[in-house]
């Protein structure tokens, strides 16, 4: 955890407010494999990381609640009896959404003050949104002793995103951020919400994230479109979700739907199989084969599911040429953000230098590289 981040939030809080307060840290996440499978009730393999949101919160006697974003240098004042979504895209909708959805489950909260700041680049595909939602919902649950379980809390976070931000996200991000386990990735079945922490011992390899530093504008609308296509296909086959659809069943629709839709359905079925295979390979410590799965996964995201972009494809194609990278793919919703790369430790520096130079030359912009540690989920930080 980044103690400088915690310290900055504490200082800002103490400058603005008084009284006893609670500090919460909620992490972002990576995802080894299993992209766009969560809202199809499929399998995913995410892990919480050591970057996220620090949020300090206390009760307030004021007539409204005050929420300060250090990064945005903005303050939101909220009337708990009048919680309306703001029409323009803003971080404030995550806050308003969490409060509103939480109060539907348990209305026993009163006004509060809070300050938060993050160290995950926004729009990087590392789920700063889930980290923010979880930090607030977890903080409120602790502060007002609502007694909700972590499982109940992640559903509040998800509903905030559905109903107040307008993205029909699955449960992966909120789950990973809340339930992360140090040095483990979570093999998660999004239908039963059963998860198995799998120890990630990459031995000779580093997990390096390359942030393309682009976020294309269509990301959110394209996400919701993918959601619709998948549910339409499942519906046409009289199934609740693509999780229940077999390759044979999908084949029967092939001539009845567009090829683009068929490819998307096929991608989801194949990606689910890859997640299951990945868990098996990791347990056998077969990192070479895990790497191959990552490349296949990216290929599907790019050519079949069509959620990549030229910057991400370039980063993956270049990584593939480097024999010390065993596997790489895009992470998260797509249309920008990060790639995840499994890189031989001995060549880590070389990789970083080469990929940065290549990217700069191609797009005339810089990429940023992060080495992440797999970490615990949302928690109170003792001060
Ligand atoms: C975003 C969503 C997740 C998941 C990924 C794609 O991060 O919030 O629920 O669908 O995209 O795998």
């Amino acid at each position: 955890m980044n103690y400088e981040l915690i310290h900055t939030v504490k200082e800002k809080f103490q400058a603005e407010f008084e009284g006893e307060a609670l500090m919460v840290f909620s992490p972002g996440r990576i995802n080894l494999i299993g992209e766009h499978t969560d809202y199809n009730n499929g399998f995913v393999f995410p892990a919480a990381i050591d970057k996220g949101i620090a949020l300090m919160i206390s009760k307030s006697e004021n007539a409204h609640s005050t929420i300060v974003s250090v990064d945005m240098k903005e303050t939101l004042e909220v009337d708990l009896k009048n919680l309306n979504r703001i029409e323009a895209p803003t971080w404030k909708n995550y806050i308003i959404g969490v409060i509103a959805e939480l109060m539907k489950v348990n209305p026993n909260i009163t006004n509060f003050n809070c300050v938060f700041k993050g160290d995950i680049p926004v729009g990087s595909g590392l789920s700063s949104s889930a980290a923010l939602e979880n930090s607030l919902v977890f903080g409120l649950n602790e502060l007002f002793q609502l007694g909700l379980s972590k499982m109940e809390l992640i559903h509040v976070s998800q509903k905030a995103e559905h109903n107040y931000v307008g993205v029909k996200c699955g449960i992966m991000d909120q789950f990973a951020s809340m339930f992360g386990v140090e040095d483990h990735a979570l093999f998660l079945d999004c239908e039963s919400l059963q998860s198995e922490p799998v120890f990630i011992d990459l031995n000779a390899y580093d997990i390096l994230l390359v942030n393309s530093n682009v976020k294309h504008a269509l990301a959110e609308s394209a996400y919701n479109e993918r959601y619709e296509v998948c549910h339409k296909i499942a519906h046409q086959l009289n199934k609740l979700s693509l999780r229940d659809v077999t390759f044979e069943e999908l084949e029967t629709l092939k001539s009845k739907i567009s090829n683009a839709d068929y490819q998307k359905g096929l991608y989801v079925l194949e990606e689910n199989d890859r997640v299951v295979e990945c868990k098996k390979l990791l347990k056998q410590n077969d990192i070479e084969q895990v790497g191959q799965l990552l490349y296949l996964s990216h290929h599907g995201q790019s050519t079949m599911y069509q959620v990549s972009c030229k910057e991400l494809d370039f980063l993956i194609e270049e990584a593939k040429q480097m024999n010390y990278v065993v596997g790489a793919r895009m992470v998260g919703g797509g249309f920008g953000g990060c790639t995840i790369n499994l890189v031989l430790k001995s060549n880590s520096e070389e990789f970083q230098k080469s990929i940065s130079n290549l990217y700069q030359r191609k797009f005339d912009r810089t990429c940023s590289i992060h080495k992440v540690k797999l970490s615990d989920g949302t928690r109170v930080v003792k001060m």
Side-chain angles (χ1 to χ4, degrees):
M1 201 167 34
N2 176 347
Y3 285 96
E4 208 180 300
L5 175 72
I6 304 283
H7 187 72
T8 309
V9 170
K10 186 176 172 188
E11 275 199 331
K12 179 73 178 166
F13 187 92
Q14 288 174 339
E16 301 266 336
F17 307 112
E18 287 173 349
E20 216 181 300
L22 187 74
M23 177 72 81
V24 173
F25 178 76
S26 186
R29 60 107 191 87
I30 54 163
N31 185 19
L32 282 181
I33 196 159
E35 220 63 85
H36 290 273
T37 44
D38 61 349
Y39 52 85
N40 291 300
N41 280 352
F43 300 106
V44 291
F45 214 158
I49 56 176
D50 53 347
K51 294 182 186 301
I53 300 275
L55 174 139
M56 201 162 177
I57 189 165
S58 68
K59 291 182 183 170
S60 157
E61 299 298 324
N62 292 342
H64 56 256
S65 294
T66 306
I67 299 98
V68 179
S69 162
V70 179
D71 293 320
M72 304 305 288
K73 298 189 179 61
E74 285 177 349
T75 298
L76 167 68
E77 291 195 343
V78 175
D79 173 357
L80 297 183
K81 290 189 199 70
N82 196 6
L83 293 161
N84 295 315
R85 176 174 186 269
I86 297 168
E87 274 316 315
T90 158
W91 61 272
K92 295 174 183 170
N93 281 330
Y94 292 96
I95 305 290
I96 297 168
V98 164
I99 304 171
E101 293 295 342
L102 179 61
M103 288 180 78
K104 286 184 198 164
V105 182
N106 189 329
N108 296 323
I109 69 172
T110 52
N111 282 311
F112 63 91
N113 294 321
C114 105
V115 171
F116 74 91
K117 176 173 171 49
D119 62 353
I120 326 173
V122 172
S124 59
L126 302 179
S127 228
S128 54
S129 345
L132 176 57
E133 293 151 7
N134 280 353
S135 65
L136 180 60
V137 78
F138 186 92
L140 290 170
N141 188 47
E142 291 289 316
L143 191 67
F144 295 105
Q145 300 186 351
L146 303 179
L148 299 179
S149 67
K150 279 187 157 188
M151 196 61 98
E152 288 170 304
L153 297 180
I154 62 172
H155 285 107
V156 170
S157 292
Q158 187 191 28
K159 285 200 184 113
E161 194 142 342
H162 286 186
N163 301 332
Y164 286 78
V165 181
V167 179
K168 289 182 175 164
C169 65
I171 198 70
M172 169 171 76
D173 303 352
Q174 291 79 9
F175 190 100
S177 161
M178 189 65 86
F179 290 103
V181 178
E182 192 174 4
D183 295 330
H184 291 68
L186 305 174
F187 176 84
L188 171 66
D189 177 339
C190 297
E191 190 167 55
S192 64
L193 292 184
Q194 296 282 335
S195 77
E196 177 189 341
V198 178
F199 181 64
I200 303 295
D201 179 12
L202 292 175
N203 281 319
Y205 295 93
D206 275 338
I207 299 180
L208 295 176
L209 299 175
V210 179
N211 188 351
S212 63
N213 288 326
V214 296
K215 186 76 199 166
H216 294 290
L218 80 172
E220 286 183 2
S221 57
Y223 186 93
N224 288 343
E225 274 165 38
R226 301 297 180 282
Y227 174 98
E228 296 300 337
V229 168
C230 292
H231 285 83
K232 194 178 76 191
I233 297 176
H235 187 74
Q236 278 173 285
L237 290 166
N238 290 320
K239 304 284 173 147
L240 272 181
S241 70
L242 284 182
R243 167 68 178 276
D244 302 326
V245 172
T246 63
F247 286 97
E248 293 72 29
E249 286 165 340
L250 182 63
E251 208 55 33
T252 64
L253 265 195
K254 194 171 180 182
S255 56
K256 300 184 191 130
I257 58 178
S258 71
N259 186 47
D261 285 2
Y262 170 76
Q263 294 295 329
K264 291 191 177 77
L266 186 59
Y267 159 79
V268 172
L269 268 54
E270 290 181 354
E271 181 76 350
N272 271 330
D273 282 357
R274 281 191 285 265
V275 184
V276 175
E277 178 70 10
C278 184
K279 178 172 81 164
K280 203 174 97 201
L281 292 168
L282 273 170
K283 288 187 167 177
Q284 297 164 354
N285 223 350
D286 190 345
I287 307 301
E288 294 281 332
Q289 286 306 314
V290 168
Q292 286 307 309
L293 281 183
L294 263 55
Y295 282 133
L296 285 174
S297 169
H298 185 82
H299 186 72
Q301 278 129 29
S302 176
T303 61
M304 299 166 79
Y305 211 65
Q306 307 206 337
V307 286
S308 186
C309 59
K310 60 181 191 308
E311 292 86 355
L312 292 173
D313 286 346
F314 176 81
L315 288 171
I316 300 302
E317 280 317 309
E318 292 303 326
K320 234 184 226 169
Q321 308 303 315
M322 304 171 185
N323 56 13
Y324 46 82
V325 182
V326 280
R329 57 172 212 87
M330 52 156 266
V331 185
F335 303 103
C338 288
T339 62
I340 178 171
N341 301 263
L342 300 184
V343 183
L344 256 184
K345 270 199 170 74
S346 51
N347 298 80
S348 179
E349 299 277 309
E350 187 182 349
F351 169 75
Q352 300 188 36
K353 233 180 260 162
S354 307
I355 204 88
S356 306
N357 288 340
L358 289 162
Y359 191 74
Q360 177 75 41
R361 223 177 296 145
K362 175 80 178 177
F363 296 109
D364 197 22
R365 67 190 313 154
T366 48
C367 59
S368 19
I369 303 183
H370 310 276
K371 187 172 158 188
V372 289
K373 238 185 86 28
L374 309 190
S375 304
D376 285 333
T378 306
R379 58 201 180 266
V380 169
V381 180
K382 298 264 178 306
M383 304 286 293

